[in-house]
Amino acid sequence: MAWATARHILVTTEAECNELKKQIEEGTSFAEVAADHSQCPSGRKGGDLGRFSPGQMVPEFDKAVFNGDVGVLYGPIKTQFGYHLLEVTARG
């Protein structure tokens, strides 16, 4: 069965999501930004969501995680929870 590992950052607004994306693209550590800003409990672990299979996350996540490239920063991705930055760390 297919699987992936990923990390994410969850915030309330698209503007904040874009600002955090800019910080990461300019060299700030994803894990540091997640710990400081993510509203998801995973932020304490640098945004790490662990290993999961298709269908375990919301559809917007599945689409990015299982169709996008590994190691690329995606976002903002809007879901029912807010706006996310997402990085697929592995897939198999």
Side-chain angles (χ1 to χ4, degrees):
M1 174 175 243
W3 59 269
T5 59
R7 55 188 183 170
H8 85 127
I9 298 168
L10 171 64
V11 294
T12 306
T13 68
E14 186 173 11
E16 182 179 11
C17 198
N18 281 319
E19 176 56 35
L20 297 177
K21 184 176 186 179
K22 182 179 174 188
Q23 289 178 25
I24 294 166
E25 290 173 341
E26 291 175 350
T28 304
S29 157
F30 188 105
E32 182 181 322
V33 173
D36 291 344
H37 298 280
S38 185
Q39 297 174 358
C40 180
S42 68
R44 292 188 297 270
K45 299 182 294 179
D48 184 19
L49 294 170
R51 184 174 169 154
F52 54 92
S53 300
Q56 289 187 282
M57 300 291 180
V58 294
E60 299 88 348
F61 255 58
D62 268 9
K63 182 178 178 184
V65 169
F66 292 101
N67 294 306
D69 294 327
V70 173
V72 175
L73 181 62
Y74 292 98
I77 298 171
K78 186 177 187 324
T79 71
Q80 66 197 42
F81 303 105
Y83 293 87
H84 307 259
L85 293 176
L86 173 68
E87 181 185 35
V88 180
T89 54
R91 189 170 47 230

